[in-house]
Amino acid sequence: QVQLQESGPGLVKPSETLSLTCIVSGFSISSGYYWGWIRQPPGKGLEWIGIIYHSGITYFNPSLKSRVAISVDTSKNQFSLKLGSVTAADTAMYYCARLYDSGGWFFDLWGRGTLVTVSS
Amino acid sequence: QSALTQPASVSGSPGQSITISCTGTSSDVGGYNYVSWYQQHPGKAPKLMIYNVSNRPSGVSNRFSGSKSGNTASLTISGLQAEDEADYYCSSYTSSNTLVFGGGTKLTVL
């Protein structure tokens, strides 16, 4: 079955760049769908970060756009998130997910999430 | 973009029905039939429960239903069960080609 798995450092220093990768198994990223990132600060709600298509087309949350980059590596069947100039407010569980975009916009498959803490 | 508005909490007894509202604007909820609902149990990833306002993915109980009127979407859970106790989030496509979530609603089964 299709699985998504986030990976990356669990601790990032303030002002540095947070980098995460989502490895997709059981489905080729090149086959379609958008692939995205969502985060959830401890005890708070979900926040959409952005999405990417296998061709490289991206859409971002306007509030994060200036600090976010999402890239895709079809040869490794994975996509990545970079968030720059992080502060404690960026501490959150980060989820990667598959976005169904053909007659709808919803995340139908999610990774388990990875907790990233911003602290010196 | 502003988060969609959901009640912070709702509660109901086993067997009862509850409804969670999700209010947006004509640029998101009201403008498109692209509202979805997610269930999240503590320590778990969100799970898709409803998509495109009222459609259920395969495997989701028919006790879960969705609807929309104007700028407000609703999730109704009938025949409440203890396992339904969780956080619920709505989301919507927006006119800016983005997606916005609601603030989340904690459902307590009494």
Side-chain angles (χ1 to χ4, degrees), chain B residues 55-85:
Chain B
N55 294 279
R56 278 188 311 275
S58 174
V60 172
S61 170
N62 59 9
R63 297 186 299 105
F64 291 82
S65 62
S67 62
K68 191 186 84 167
S69 177
N71 294 338
T72 297
S74 298
L75 171 71
T76 297
I77 308 174
S78 59
L80 266 182
Q81 299 179 1
E83 66 204 49
D84 299 332
E85 185 162 295

Side-chain angles (χ1 to χ4, degrees), chain A residues 28-109:
Chain A
S28 172
I29 283 182
S30 299
S31 296
Y33 291 89
Y34 276 87
W35 303 87
W37 292 94
I38 305 97
R39 70 180 183 177
Q40 184 173 35
K44 297 188 178 181
L46 301 172
E47 181 179 32
W48 182 74
I49 298 173
I51 55 173
I52 188 166
Y53 198 61
H54 64 80
S55 62
I57 297 173
T58 53
Y59 296 103
F60 298 117
N61 184 326
S63 68
L64 297 171
K65 189 174 183 177
S66 63
R67 299 193 291 131
V68 173
I70 298 178
S71 60
V72 64
D73 187 337
T74 55
S75 66
K76 295 182 178 178
N77 216 41
Q78 64 186 41
F79 59 103
S80 300
L81 168 71
K82 289 189 185 299
L83 179 65
S85 305
V86 297
T87 69
D90 295 308
T91 293
M93 183 71 80
Y94 285 77
Y95 295 100
C96 63
R98 185 176 77 174
L99 181 87
Y100 182 92
D101 70 305
S102 181
W105 256 47
F106 53 88
F107 290 107
D108 63 344
L109 289 172

Side-chain angles (χ1 to χ4, degrees), chain B residues 87-110:
Chain B
D87 293 327
Y88 291 85
Y89 295 90
C90 62
S91 72
S92 175
Y93 173 78
T94 83
S95 58
S96 302
N97 284 331
T98 62
L99 190 145
V100 62
F101 284 101
T105 298
K106 181 177 180 60
L107 169 62
T108 299
V109 180
L110 302 171

